[in-house]
Amino acid sequence: MERSFHMLVYRLFHAQRAYLRPCLGEAGLEVGQPKLLAYLADNGPSRQNQIAEYFDIDSAAVSRMLDSLEKGGFVTRKMDEGNRRCNQVACTERGRQANRLWRNRCRELEDKMLADFTPQEQAQFSAYLARAYRNLREEGDGHA
């Protein structure tokens, strides 16, 4: 079995993606969009730059995803009363339904992936992944 961490993470990522991909079509979503709907469902109407900052992705990429989500009826945009140069983005009912479907599928994935882990092991695994992410983000070399 492969023992290098980068390859284990790579394989886990691809197994996760393969498990979740059918749900994208079922929900009418594209790659990358579920996380935006989840953010909006959890945080309520938000500015595009808040979303980009939270996910540490380019604002232009968020804009393209939001354009597609808006065309699909998953989100709406309206002028931010506090800053007329910004839009507030919010989930529609269709977006909330797609988010629920996605989250249910993600729970199934987590249940399957962590089936033989004790609650303590699950907590440790979560902490290890979070720490590995922080380590890469803190390095600041622009490659993360």
Side-chain angles (χ1 to χ4, degrees):
M1 175 166 190
E2 182 66 47
R3 298 296 301 170
S4 67
F5 284 107
H6 81 277
M7 190 54 72
L8 290 169
V9 170
Y10 176 82
R11 292 180 68 190
L12 178 61
F13 168 76
H14 282 282
Q16 172 188 326
R17 193 167 67 176
Y19 188 90
L20 293 173
R21 187 168 297 263
C23 186
L24 285 174
E26 193 178 331
L29 299 172
E30 298 172 11
V31 173
Q33 293 178 335
K35 66 184 172 200
L36 299 185
L37 290 179
Y39 178 90
L40 293 169
D42 291 344
N43 296 286
S46 303
R47 292 180 182 161
Q48 178 180 317
N49 64 338
Q50 292 172 305
I51 298 167
E53 186 177 303
Y54 178 81
F55 289 109
D56 196 23
I57 55 178
D58 186 319
S59 189
V62 171
S63 181
R64 287 188 299 275
M65 285 189 271
L66 290 174
D67 287 345
S68 181
L69 285 167
E70 188 175 27
K71 286 177 188 167
F74 296 101
V75 301
T76 59
R77 293 185 204 183
K78 67 178 185 175
M79 190 176 297
D80 184 339
E81 295 300 322
N83 182 348
R84 294 190 169 277
R85 293 180 296 163
C86 297
N87 287 322
Q88 285 280 335
V89 182
C91 273
T92 63
E93 181 54 34
R94 182 170 189 209
R96 286 187 287 278
Q97 290 173 353
N99 181 55
R100 282 191 293 273
L101 177 66
W102 181 259
R103 286 189 178 193
N104 287 338
R105 184 67 174 180
C106 287
R107 273 191 287 283
E108 291 171 10
L109 167 96
E110 288 177 11
D111 289 345
K112 184 174 182 152
M113 180 176 71
L114 302 172
D116 60 350
F117 287 64
T118 66
Q120 181 183 4
E121 288 171 329
Q122 290 180 28
Q124 287 175 323
F125 187 44
S126 179
Y128 294 151
L129 290 172
R131 189 177 350 154
Y133 175 77
R134 278 192 315 273
N135 289 346
L136 287 175
R137 298 306 311 151
E138 290 171 2
E139 187 172 311
D141 65 4
H143 291 88

